[in-house]
Amino acid sequence: MQVNTLILGAGAAGLHCAAHAGPQTLVVDHAKAAGEKIRISGGGRCNFTNLGTTHANFISQNPHFAKSALARYTQWDFIELVDRHGIAWHEKTLGQLFCDDSAKDIIAMLLAEMAPNAKLWLNTTIGNIRHDGEVFHVALKRKGEVHTVEAKSLVVATGGKSIPKMGATGIAYDIATQFGLGMTETRAALVPFTFSDEKFKPLAGVAAPARVTTIDGTSFEEALLFTHRGLSGPAVLQASSYWREGDDITVALSPDFDLATALKTDRTQEGRKALSTTLAKYLPARLIDFLSADLPLSGNTGDLSDARIDELTAALRNWSLKPSGTEGYRTAEVTLGGVDTNGLSSKTMEAKAHPNLYFIGEAVDVTGWLGGYNFQWAWSSGYAAGTAIAQNS
């Protein structure tokens, strides 16, 4: 079987690339359905982009690499596509856009966009890949039969290692290595922290506003969630992308609230109340009980001196913790690192040393923050590769 373009991976990047790559395109995936990570994202409503997307929202050894693709296909371009398909959406906090109804609407849109030019093979296993100097030869096993597909262009959009229960394998890295591309270190990102002593197990389910800061000074201020195994929530997931094993993190509870002033007021108005009762107005009661093991929270509010208030406030703003690790790829939303961008064109995503070979999406060493950025990278990198292929056909 001969095609112009073979795209490995029917996720966000692969499907969007197929819509722009031109005729005689084949998209293959091992899964039973296309866009499975899209389907489960955003609580089933898909945080499909972020209004504030810039290259500064991405982590890479080359922080400038993403600029070109993001500029050529922006969040506004994708929003226009969503609107054209009549998909209702809404903005949540921090510019995050979600479908009103279902993430399946985004998948249906992507399939409709690629339909005129592309075929989709699901339940398909990728075998041997080689290049004869002119075209790629890829062995694909489908319905018990092995097919050899010849393709002028090969696009690797198989993602990273995150969420292996959905079939993630890191095959993109094997293909990159086979064709001489470099790799950067990969690790789980946007992932909860774990603590070997399960110290936070009594607080499981408790949430609080927080600022989480890593050892390099990077901070994220959103919700923090205590779990049976450790810490999660948006602030923690964001910080995990900048954390290294063995590092401490600093947690500031309710960082935007002037607790010192509030306690000084309470000292005169509610002096007979227990300090723990007063603090429970501003932080979850279970958290206050937990902290009382390490902080002097006994006595009445009226007994507080200015010095003690300052000491208490400082402790709640500078809570130093050392995670033992993360939950790993099992629950990580993305993989940090990947195919080294030094070997790729930032304009087309084509391998510099191997014409007609492209790497897009999560497989590449470009990792977005939480909040729709990784989907925007999928759309932008997929567009960059797809349009380049169409222009060269």
Side-chain angles (χ1 to χ4, degrees):
M1 178 180 179
Q2 295 180 335
V3 298
N4 185 59
T5 306
L6 175 60
I7 300 176
L8 308 180
L15 294 177
H16 197 56
C17 180
H20 298 280
Q24 294 188 323
T25 294
L26 175 63
V27 183
V28 301
D29 201 289
H30 66 275
K32 296 179 181 179
E36 283 292 87
K37 285 187 75 173
I38 299 174
R39 180 181 61 81
I40 67 170
S41 68
R45 291 191 174 182
C46 187
N47 180 192
F48 57 81
T49 193
N50 194 294
L51 293 176
T53 302
T54 72
H55 76 282
N57 304 114
F58 296 85
I59 305 168
S60 173
Q61 285 196 0
N62 179 357
H64 300 288
F65 180 82
K67 283 183 177 179
S68 178
L70 291 171
R72 293 175 59 224
Y73 192 88
T74 70
Q75 58 270 42
W76 310 110
D77 292 314
F78 194 76
I79 291 169
E80 188 277 330
L81 177 63
V82 170
D83 287 343
R84 180 150 44 87
H85 281 259
I87 300 173
W89 53 269
H90 59 277
E91 178 184 355
K92 286 192 175 180
T93 58
L94 304 173
Q96 301 171 38
L97 303 190
F98 290 78
C99 297
D100 283 358
D101 186 19
S102 170
K104 293 179 181 179
D105 293 338
I106 298 295
I107 300 172
M109 175 191 77
L110 295 170
L111 292 174
E113 285 290 308
M114 71 172 235
N117 293 316
K119 292 182 179 180
L120 175 63
W121 284 9
L122 297 170
N123 294 303
T124 301
T125 304
I126 302 166
N128 183 61
I129 301 173
R130 66 181 180 87
H131 192 267
D132 65 6
E134 294 186 4
V135 298
F136 292 92
H137 299 258
V138 182
L140 300 172
K141 187 175 182 180
R142 179 174 183 251
K143 296 180 179 179
E145 296 183 5
V146 176
H147 305 262
T148 298
V149 175
E150 297 180 4
K152 176 184 176 184
S153 296
L154 179 66
V155 181
V156 181
T158 52
K161 299 178 181 178
S162 58
I163 317 183
K165 69 180 181 181
M166 298 188 70
T169 62
I171 187 176
Y173 312 143
D174 296 334
I175 298 172
T177 301
Q178 176 185 340
F179 287 97
L181 278 78
M183 291 289 302
T184 66
E185 177 191 4
T186 57
R187 64 182 194 271
L190 299 181
V191 62
F193 288 130
T194 57
F195 291 77
S196 57
D197 57 3
E198 297 185 334
K199 64 189 297 179
F200 297 123
K201 194 171 184 178
L203 291 176
V206 172
R211 179 172 58 245
V212 179
T213 304
T214 55
I215 203 166
D216 66 354
T218 304
S219 293
F220 291 97
E221 193 169 315
E222 290 186 72
L224 176 149
L225 175 68
F226 296 94
T227 72
H228 285 87
R229 301 188 66 193
L231 298 175
S232 188
V236 168
L237 298 183
Q238 295 276 42
S240 72
S241 296
Y242 294 84
W243 177 82
R244 288 282 188 169
E245 192 166 350
D247 288 350
D248 289 349
I249 59 170
T250 302
V251 175
L253 296 169
S254 295
D256 291 334
F257 179 67
D258 189 350
L259 181 61
T261 297
L263 288 176
K264 290 172 183 177
T265 300
D266 291 333
R267 181 176 57 189
T268 59
Q269 296 181 356
E270 303 178 0
R272 293 185 178 181
K273 286 187 177 181
L275 174 56
S276 57
T277 301
T278 299
L279 286 173
K281 295 194 306 181
Y282 310 115
L283 290 168
R286 283 168 60 192
L287 177 56
I288 297 302
D289 289 342
F290 179 87
L291 293 172
S292 65
D294 297 313
L295 297 178
L297 303 182
S298 60
N300 293 332
T301 304
D303 299 330
L304 290 172
S305 64
D306 284 355
R308 189 177 172 198
I309 288 175
D310 292 341
E311 179 185 349
L312 177 59
T313 302
L316 295 176
R317 294 287 188 273
N318 294 280
W319 189 11
S320 182
L321 298 168
K322 186 187 290 293
S324 57
T326 72
E327 292 190 3
Y329 292 116
R330 181 180 66 85
T331 60
E333 295 201 15
V334 291
T335 302
L336 190 72
V339 179
D340 194 334
T341 58
N342 286 331
L344 302 175
S345 164
S346 62
K347 292 183 179 180
T348 66
M349 310 304 296
E350 185 178 23
K352 294 177 181 177
H354 209 296
N356 301 318
L357 176 62
Y358 302 78
F359 290 84
I360 59 176
E362 189 183 345
V364 179
D365 175 30
V366 176
T367 306
W369 289 1
L370 185 73
Y373 299 103
N374 286 294
F375 273 128
Q376 185 56 49
W377 172 245
W379 316 137
S380 297
S381 60
Y383 176 86
T387 52
I389 291 168
Q391 289 169 4
N392 292 332
S393 297

